[in-house]
Amino acid sequence: MGNLFGKKKQSRVTEQDKAILQLKQQRDKLRQYQKRINLQLEKERLLAKQLLKNGKKEKALLLLKKKRYQDQLLDKTENQIGNLERMVQDLEFAQIEAKVIQGLKVGNECLKKMHEVMSIEEVERIMDETQDAIEYQRQIDEMLAGSLSQEDEDAVLAELEAITQGDVELPDVPADELPEVPEATEKKAERDRPRKKPEREMLAA
């Protein structure tokens, strides 16, 4: 049925992850074994003490020998736990190193592509053009600064301030009267006007 709905998604759990999980499980089992043995040793120590009070020295001695053997087992167990933890740390660090190396690989590939798009010669050309443009603009600024007097500079600043504040002066209204229209022009305008029909023609219509 699963194939009907598409391919099965690939699991993100790697073999390294599985190995780390198994090592941690073994470590946890050894720690549980340590706790169980420690409880048992404490009981046997109290029992040996009670046997000595009851005068059963031989049994107490045998019990203490057994306890000594179990102490040695606990030491070996502690060493095994240490080895497992170091192995887990090494695997986890190896995973981090692998991710770092992969990141460096991707970064190097990106840099190579960028270098292919823009060569050293292209960068030098752009830098030269930029420097030429900066030098050209500097020369223009020096020429403008040297050609204007202080009075011109003040006038330019005042005009800029007026434009910024919207203070634009409108031209003055002329004080002189408008010129008269010539007579010929008036007659021509009279001829162009539509004439009214006589009243008789209007009544006949």
Side-chain angles (χ1 to χ4, degrees):
M1 293 294 291
N3 294 332
L4 297 177
F5 298 97
K7 295 182 179 180
K8 185 178 180 181
K9 292 184 179 180
Q10 186 177 1
S11 176
R12 295 184 180 180
V13 180
T14 63
E15 295 297 326
Q16 291 81 3
D17 294 331
K18 294 179 181 179
I20 291 173
L21 180 60
Q22 291 177 357
L23 290 173
K24 288 182 177 180
Q25 289 174 346
Q26 293 175 4
R27 178 199 60 192
D28 294 340
K29 289 180 180 180
L30 287 175
R31 285 179 176 173
Q32 292 175 359
Y33 171 76
Q34 272 185 323
K35 292 179 180 180
R36 187 170 66 252
I37 295 299
N38 282 325
L39 291 175
Q40 185 176 351
L41 290 177
E42 183 63 23
K43 292 179 180 179
E44 291 179 353
R45 189 182 68 82
L46 295 175
L47 181 58
K49 186 177 181 180
Q50 186 64 37
L51 290 172
L52 287 175
K53 287 183 179 180
N54 296 335
K56 298 179 181 179
K57 184 177 180 181
E58 294 295 331
K59 289 185 177 182
L61 183 60
L62 181 62
L63 194 59
L64 291 175
K65 288 181 179 180
K66 179 182 176 183
K67 178 179 178 299
R68 179 62 180 173
Y69 174 73
Q70 290 176 336
D71 286 336
Q72 294 176 355
L73 289 178
L74 283 178
D75 293 337
K76 292 181 181 180
T77 303
E78 186 65 30
N79 292 332
Q80 291 176 355
I81 290 175
N83 293 332
L84 290 173
E85 288 180 343
R86 282 191 295 271
M87 190 172 294
V88 169
Q89 292 174 358
D90 292 341
L91 285 173
E92 290 176 343
F93 185 73
Q95 285 183 320
I96 295 174
E97 283 184 328
K99 291 180 180 179
V100 171
I101 293 173
Q102 182 65 24
L104 292 174
K105 181 180 178 181
V106 173
N108 288 332
E109 291 177 355
C110 292
L111 285 176
K112 288 180 181 179
K113 292 180 180 179
M114 292 177 65
H115 292 162
E116 291 175 358
V117 173
M118 184 173 293
S119 62
I120 296 177
E121 292 78 9
E122 183 70 12
V123 174
E124 291 178 349
R125 184 184 65 79
I126 294 175
M127 294 297 294
D128 292 339
E129 291 179 355
T130 303
Q131 186 63 33
D132 293 341
I134 294 174
E135 182 66 21
Y136 180 72
Q137 183 63 39
R138 185 184 64 80
Q139 293 177 2
I140 292 176
D141 294 340
E142 290 179 354
M143 292 173 61
L144 291 176
S147 62
L148 296 179
S149 63
Q150 185 60 42
E151 183 179 357
D152 293 331
E153 293 284 351
D154 295 340
V156 170
L157 293 176
E159 184 177 359
L160 178 63
E161 182 69 20
I163 294 174
T164 303
Q165 296 180 359
D167 185 12
V168 180
E169 296 182 358
L170 298 176
D172 296 333
V173 178
D176 300 334
E177 295 181 358
L178 295 176
E180 296 181 357
V181 180
E183 183 177 356
T185 304
E186 291 181 355
K187 291 181 179 180
K188 182 177 182 301
E190 182 67 23
R191 289 198 304 270
D192 293 340
R193 292 176 184 173
R195 297 180 179 179
K196 295 182 180 180
K197 296 181 179 180
E199 292 183 359
R200 291 180 180 180
E201 294 178 1
M202 294 177 63
L203 293 174

